[in-house]
Amino acid sequence: MSPGDEQGYTETGQTRTRLPGGDPYGGAPRRTGRSSSRGLITVVGVVVLLIAAIAFANRGDGSSTDGSADKEDRPKAASTAASGTKPVDTKSAGIASGFAHTEQGAQSAAANYAVALGSAEMFNKNERDSILQAIMTPSTVASSKAAMDKAYTPGFSQSLGLYADGTAPKGYTFVSRTSPIGTKVTEATGDAATVEIWCSGLLGLAGDKSTNPVTNSWFTITMKLEWAADDWKIIKHSQQEGPAPVPGDDKASSSEDISKAVDEYGGFTYAR
């Protein structure tokens, strides 16, 4: 499978892109309008959910029919809530580093590494090498660089509307961003952890005549991490599609608005 077909992290560090037939930046039409009944159904649904939530909150836990056994198997709220703990104070190659030698530290590392692997900097050879040097285990840096060099070819860059060296033409803004939505540890020992990161991604070229407009995708990255050189590092990583929510009725923004947003809104250091 070629990089242009499946932009997965194992091959390119990016996401699958489905391009529309027309040019959204020429004035993308809003999705077909829904009837007013949808609004009524939505309101009724919210009210029903609110009533159900209140009833659940006021329900006693002492009943013999409350399904106590099932409750014990459910994830605790604290297991998915943000901890509020600051992840790190240092950076390496512009990427957060020095994570705690804990499961929470592994999750924070994985989230920040996902951002780096999905960034526009991956399309530049020198910056890509710096990223891989910072986030991969020392024993896999060389092989990772070689694999990424085969994926980020001049042809791949040109297929996205970029120059062969990965730079955008004058008057265009290249967008490649990954935003972690949540993380979870699926396996962990003292010096190793497998972390899944649920993400949303942006990829495309913003410009009035772009034939590769910026699109959104949802995917889950699985990272196997190892404690090495006093930090969590990636041994290997893979990606699969979803879970993806139902698309909303948002009107596509103009290329100018997208370019402005990319320039003005910076990224975050992600913590568990």
Side-chain angles (χ1 to χ4, degrees):
M1 184 176 291
S2 68
D5 295 330
E6 174 62 32
Q7 299 171 48
Y9 272 78
T10 54
E11 296 182 358
T12 71
Q14 300 303 313
T15 62
R16 184 192 298 271
T17 305
R18 296 184 178 90
L19 298 177
D23 180 4
Y25 294 134
R30 190 181 180 86
R31 290 185 177 87
T32 303
R34 313 286 178 85
S35 66
S36 59
S37 61
R38 176 179 174 180
L40 177 59
I41 292 174
T42 300
V43 173
V44 172
V46 171
V47 173
V48 171
L49 289 175
L50 180 59
I51 294 175
I54 294 174
F56 181 83
N58 292 329
R59 186 178 63 178
D61 291 331
S63 172
S64 60
T65 60
D66 65 355
S68 299
D70 292 338
K71 288 182 178 180
E72 294 178 358
D73 295 332
R74 298 173 187 168
K76 304 298 183 183
S79 69
T80 55
S83 69
T85 301
K86 188 173 182 178
V88 292
D89 294 314
T90 58
K91 287 190 175 183
S92 175
I95 305 167
S97 62
F99 295 94
H101 193 180
T102 62
E103 287 190 17
Q104 179 176 311
Q107 291 181 73
S108 294
N112 285 281
Y113 295 165
V115 173
L117 286 171
S119 66
E121 286 72 26
M122 288 291 290
F123 286 78
N124 177 279
K125 166 65 176 173
N126 292 333
E127 294 186 45
R128 180 170 68 247
D129 285 350
S130 295
I131 290 173
L132 297 175
Q133 186 73 42
I135 69 177
M136 304 299 297
T137 58
S139 61
T140 62
V141 170
S143 60
S144 295
K145 288 181 179 179
M148 290 298 182
D149 286 345
K150 292 181 179 179
Y152 286 90
T153 62
F156 178 43
S157 294
Q158 291 171 337
S159 72
L160 295 174
L162 304 174
Y163 290 129
D165 63 357
T167 58
K170 184 177 181 180
Y172 292 83
T173 301
F174 179 56
V175 183
S176 182
R177 285 196 181 187
T178 291
S179 299
I181 306 300
T183 62
K184 71 173 181 179
V185 173
T186 58
E187 186 177 353
T189 61
D191 292 329
T194 300
V195 182
E196 293 184 359
I197 314 100
W198 181 31
C199 303
S200 176
L202 298 175
L203 182 67
L205 193 64
D208 290 339
K209 297 182 180 180
S210 173
T211 57
N212 298 281
V214 180
T215 58
N216 173 247
S217 59
W218 293 84
F219 48 93
T220 299
I221 305 168
T222 299
M223 288 187 187
K224 290 186 179 296
L225 304 173
E226 177 182 83
W227 185 255
D230 294 323
D231 208 349
W232 289 108
K233 302 291 184 179
I234 302 174
I235 302 174
K236 62 180 180 179
H237 50 91
S238 60
Q239 177 184 315
Q240 65 183 30
E241 293 184 344
V246 177
D249 290 331
D250 301 308
K251 181 180 179 181
S253 298
S254 67
S255 61
E256 182 180 358
D257 288 341
I258 292 294
S259 297
K260 183 178 180 181
V262 171
D263 291 337
E264 293 183 352
Y265 293 93
F268 298 95
T269 296
Y270 285 84
R272 168 64 180 83

